[in-house]
Amino acid sequence: EGGWSEPFVGDFLHAQGLRDRVHLVTKLSPWMVRTREDMERIFDHQLRRLRTDHLDLYLLHAMTLDQWRHLESLGVIPFLEARLRDGRIRHAGFSFHSAPGELPLLLDAWDRWEVVQVQYNYLDRNFQGGRTALDLRQRYGYGVAVMEPLKGGNLGDRMPDPIREILTQAGIVGSPARTALRW
């Protein structure tokens, strides 16, 4: 939050000697990029903040077709390919935040996507392409990472009592968060 997650994580992993035992991921926000040089500068800054020489996964953040076109026009494909080649990025993907119909267009834009991150929970199965991402993963060969499995906490501690009662009446026992995560 507030730009402090990278240095917090980097300092913690460094202090505990855990860097080699975790898969480290961060994202490139397209609205921060105006030039190819911005991609390089932001990436190098992220590595310094995370106190590492490589990322296990680098995601293009909040991809829509328009955001993709913006980054593509600035050379994001050669940027990603160069970082993959030099080992500073081990795997590349994107977080998807658009209409399901745009997802195949993004997947077809580059043949090296390895991960698509989508919002997916039992209330948002089709929101922003969640179900579509799961359905297309075999054809394109990428992994799916889930964000918002608790819908911002609304499927956990903030779940209204009437909905908790519906779960109980349906025979679903345990915490609402556990139920959502198991789903």
Side-chain angles (χ1 to χ4, degrees):
E1 192 71 32
W4 291 105
S5 61
E6 288 173 346
F8 176 84
V9 169
D11 289 346
F12 176 81
L13 294 176
H14 180 76
Q16 301 299 313
L18 296 173
R19 173 60 186 100
D20 293 333
R21 295 179 57 195
V22 301
H23 292 280
L24 193 53
V25 180
T26 197
K27 298 177 182 179
L28 176 67
S29 299
W31 50 89
M32 297 175 68
V33 178
R34 300 282 178 254
T35 66
R36 164 73 186 267
E37 292 75 27
D38 286 344
M39 291 178 220
E40 299 287 353
R41 178 185 50 75
I42 292 166
F43 180 75
D44 290 341
H45 184 65
Q46 289 171 313
L47 289 181
R48 284 191 304 277
R49 288 164 54 98
L50 288 163
R51 299 179 73 157
T52 190
D53 64 350
H54 73 280
L55 293 169
D56 299 288
L57 174 60
Y58 198 55
L59 297 173
L60 304 183
H61 183 43
M63 281 295 98
T64 65
L65 197 53
D66 288 341
Q67 293 289 23
W68 169 252
R69 287 180 179 144
H70 165 69
L71 289 178
E72 186 179 34
S73 74
L74 298 175
V76 75
I77 291 174
F79 163 76
L80 290 172
E81 288 176 345
R83 297 297 68 76
L84 286 163
R85 218 173 15 259
D86 69 21
R88 294 196 294 158
I89 294 175
R90 303 281 164 87
H91 306 278
F94 60 90
S95 62
F96 185 67
H97 295 262
S98 195
E102 289 188 6
L103 183 57
L105 300 173
L106 291 171
L107 293 168
D108 287 335
W110 191 46
D111 64 357
R112 297 199 52 196
W113 298 122
E114 295 180 77
V115 175
V116 176
Q117 183 182 40
V118 291
Q119 182 167 321
Y120 195 66
N121 57 62
Y122 65 76
L123 291 182
D124 293 326
R125 289 179 281 178
N126 298 309
F127 182 70
Q128 294 184 345
R131 184 74 241 169
T132 302
L134 291 169
D135 292 342
L136 293 174
R137 73 184 184 273
Q138 292 295 332
R139 183 166 105 197
Y140 286 93
Y142 57 81
V144 175
V146 172
M147 63 179 146
E148 296 289 337
L150 299 180
K151 195 171 175 67
N154 291 312
L155 298 179
D157 291 342
R158 289 188 254 158
M159 181 177 283
D161 288 335
I163 295 175
R164 286 177 195 254
E165 288 196 29
I166 291 170
L167 291 174
T168 301
Q169 290 171 3
I172 299 170
V173 295
S175 76
R178 181 176 181 187
T179 300
L181 292 171
R182 289 185 75 207
W183 180 86

